[in-house]
Amino acid sequence: MSDSSNMIEIRNLHKSYGDIEVIKGVDLNVKQGEVVVILGPSGSGKSTVLRCINRLEEITSGTIVVDGFDLYAKETDINYVRSEAGMVFQQFNLFPHLSVLQNITIGLIKVRKMDKAEADKIALSLLDKVGLPDKATAYPDQLSGGQKQRVAIARSLAMNPKVILFDEPTSALDPELVGEVLDVMKNLADEGMTMVVVTHEMGFAREVADRVIFIADGVIQEEAAPDEFFSNPKHPRLKDFLGKL
Ligand code: ADP
Ligand code: MG
């Protein structure tokens, strides 16, 4: 049954690449304003699940509803729905030939047809929000990894998404730059943004997540509030995973 307090509803999701099934029946609800952290070993299907929520993949079966829109229904306008769910990638994916400001405004101008002055205004306020008020005219290769990722977050926020999906946003960063990105994410969570975060940052999971999910072998093996999840893991695969950290 559909529940309107759910921002994301995933039902019995299956996804195969060729003959290989990598997602084998995932059910997941994410409520509005909730922060869900997904943990799991490499290759377990974490990125695939996120990509399905943004329809960067075709699914094999199941349903995904985001903000009331069935993502894979024929009548759904994919560009509209994709702009409801922003995505932040490990490798930032900024356009190298565009300035920071242009990276943030391009979606507003090209997709939303906003005029440049209005788009610039939004971009500048978002740069302020992510702590980079003086980087508007810089180019991506002049920024540190942490700064690039904060620009990528600002770019995602510019589209005013209902949900942001983060796929290992700090995994490509030098350790001393991880904190500045996690701080921005923490602020977003405090402001009530709905977030699904794949990360290996256990401190973030403990402190910020409402719920932590462990995926292994393409299914959710365990799911609990952070205290319970970390202090009382039940599944042997999860105990093993946490033991290796
Ligand atoms: P994770 O993010 O948990 O490391 P992924 O979702 O990236 O895992 O991958 C899950 C499985 O699907 C892996 O075995 C991976 O090799 C496979 N896979 C991912 N993307 C593709 C693709 N485009 N084509 C074929 N196999 C893929
Ligand atoms: Mg991945």
Side-chain angles (χ1 to χ4, degrees):
M1 268 318 278
S2 194
D3 172 346
S4 65
S5 71
N6 287 331
M7 185 59 82
I8 303 171
E9 290 183 355
I10 302 177
R11 287 285 164 281
N12 203 16
L13 176 65
H14 290 256
K15 167 69 187 171
S16 299
Y17 293 108
D19 292 339
I20 301 173
E21 190 177 48
V22 299
I23 302 299
K24 303 171 183 170
V26 162
D27 289 275
L28 174 64
N29 292 332
V30 180
K31 295 211 176 298
Q32 180 164 0
E34 197 176 18
V35 177
V36 172
V37 164
I38 299 179
L39 303 180
S42 177
S44 57
K46 305 179 299 295
S47 294
T48 301
V49 169
L50 286 194
R51 293 168 60 79
C52 288
I53 301 173
N54 214 15
R55 216 174 116 175
L56 294 168
E57 302 284 351
E58 287 303 317
I59 65 178
T60 306
S61 64
T63 56
I64 302 180
V65 176
V66 176
D67 193 28
F69 291 91
D70 181 344
L71 266 196
Y72 290 85
K74 275 198 197 67
E75 64 274 17
T76 299
D77 177 350
I78 184 56
N79 289 320
Y80 175 75
V81 177
R82 198 168 283 161
S83 73
E84 294 230 299
M87 184 113 172
V88 173
F89 302 89
Q90 183 175 336
Q91 294 298 340
F92 327 125
N93 295 6
L94 298 177
F95 297 111
H97 60 292
L98 298 182
S99 70
V100 163
L101 194 78
Q102 290 167 325
N103 264 281
I104 299 171
T105 57
I106 187 169
L108 292 173
I109 294 169
K110 301 264 180 202
V111 180
R112 296 279 167 84
K113 312 293 178 203
M114 192 178 278
D115 67 54
K116 186 178 174 307
E118 196 183 344
D120 284 356
K121 204 170 130 192
I122 290 172
L124 289 169
S125 84
L126 289 171
L127 279 175
D128 214 33
K129 188 183 176 94
V130 300
L132 298 169
D134 51 350
K135 294 294 182 193
T137 60
Y139 281 79
D141 67 2
Q142 300 170 312
L143 303 179
S144 72
Q147 291 171 333
K148 281 184 215 179
Q149 194 59 296
R150 286 186 281 151
V151 171
I153 293 170
R155 178 180 58 180
S156 175
L157 288 171
M159 302 304 277
N160 203 17
K162 298 259 171 61
V163 181
I164 304 188
L165 312 169
F166 292 88
D167 194 357
E168 301 200 25
T170 61
S171 294
L173 302 178
D174 292 335
E176 72 272 20
L177 303 178
V178 168
E180 64 192 60
V181 172
L182 294 180
D183 284 346
V184 168
M185 293 168 63
K186 225 173 282 175
N187 288 340
L188 287 179
D190 288 344
E191 289 173 7
M193 179 61 79
T194 308
M195 299 167 41
V196 182
V197 184
V198 174
T199 185
H200 301 292
E201 293 295 329
M202 298 302 143
F204 180 88
R206 276 177 192 276
E207 192 184 336
V208 183
D210 296 299
R211 207 151 31 107
V212 187
I213 281 171
F214 178 67
I215 294 187
D217 303 326
V219 297
I220 293 177
Q221 308 279 7
E222 195 145 329
E223 171 174 354
D227 274 354
E228 171 72 11
F229 185 94
F230 289 108
S231 63
N232 190 18
K234 292 175 190 67
H235 197 285
R237 290 288 303 269
L238 175 57
K239 289 184 185 173
D240 185 50
F241 179 81
L242 294 175
K244 284 183 181 142
L245 295 174

